[in-house]
Amino acid sequence: MTKITRFILTLTIFASAFTTHAAKADDDRAVVEAFYSKLLSGTTSADLPARMEEVLAPDWQSRGDYASVAKTRDQFLKQLQGTGSIVPNLTWKIEEILHIGNRYVVRGHASAKPVRPFLGVEPSDRSFNIMSIDIHTVENHKIVKSYHVEDWHGAIEQLKTK
């Protein structure tokens, strides 16, 4: 094998590996995006459990603080279904995604107008717009762990404002 042939073969292998890595990253990013479009913005969807299976690993864990135990996928499903009955128009949009290895940092924007009491505030003509910051770990094209912080205090203040 000549040096040129070895060089071309090496480039071909490198290009193939890069393309495979890029395709995996695209697939994983799509899973993270689906977390917002199919789950957080789909709280009233009849197929929410199936959507969850597509996006979250069976042993997925969610941490919103360090004072309580991690939430499981089943607990999260019940939470989302309950939220859907209170704020059926909840929309969660991705504003920015930073990708590092198998971790995705997402700056999100949630908005809704509650139709039932929400966070201790009676429903009115007011809505809320809040920011969230999430860190998702993806393995085998499923989210296995999520850390998250949302500005729920800001939501309460917006809902209370006269």
Side-chain angles (χ1 to χ4, degrees):
M1 186 179 297
T2 68
K3 286 182 181 181
I4 293 175
T5 305
R6 278 194 302 255
F7 178 72
I8 291 171
L9 181 59
T10 301
L11 283 179
T12 302
I13 291 169
F14 177 75
S16 175
F18 180 77
T19 302
T20 301
H21 177 73
K24 180 188 178 313
D26 287 346
D27 290 347
D28 288 349
R29 182 185 173 108
V31 167
V32 170
E33 291 172 349
F35 181 83
Y36 298 87
S37 65
K38 291 185 174 186
L39 302 184
L40 296 181
S41 296
T43 58
T44 60
S45 300
D47 66 341
L48 188 57
R51 291 173 178 215
M52 235 177 222
E53 288 179 16
E54 292 175 14
V55 175
L56 303 177
D59 59 346
W60 174 79
Q61 292 188 348
S62 170
R63 286 219 174 258
D65 60 47
Y66 290 120
S68 54
V69 297
K71 190 176 297 165
T72 67
R73 187 172 82 176
D74 290 339
Q75 291 168 326
F76 187 53
L77 173 61
K78 289 176 185 169
Q79 177 187 342
L80 288 183
Q81 289 170 328
T83 300
S85 70
I86 298 168
V87 283
N89 60 350
L90 179 63
T91 304
W92 221 289
K93 296 191 180 200
I94 294 172
E95 298 291 334
E96 179 179 17
I97 296 180
L98 302 174
H99 171 215
I100 305 152
N102 68 337
R103 301 186 85 188
Y104 293 79
V105 179
V106 179
R107 179 172 52 88
H109 173 209
S111 60
K113 182 177 177 182
V115 297
R116 293 182 37 209
F118 182 64
L119 301 173
V121 180
E122 289 297 318
S124 66
D125 63 341
R126 293 181 290 278
S127 59
F128 66 85
N129 288 285
I130 62 168
M131 183 190 309
S132 66
I133 303 292
D134 305 319
I135 303 171
H136 302 287
T137 303
V138 179
E139 294 175 1
N140 299 316
H141 307 302
K142 303 270 184 171
I143 300 174
V144 296
K145 190 178 294 180
S146 298
Y147 294 93
H148 55 95
V149 178
E150 301 85 15
D151 182 19
W152 294 120
H153 178 74
I156 292 169
E157 291 303 310
Q158 292 171 52
L159 293 172
K160 285 182 172 180
T161 301
K162 305 258 183 219

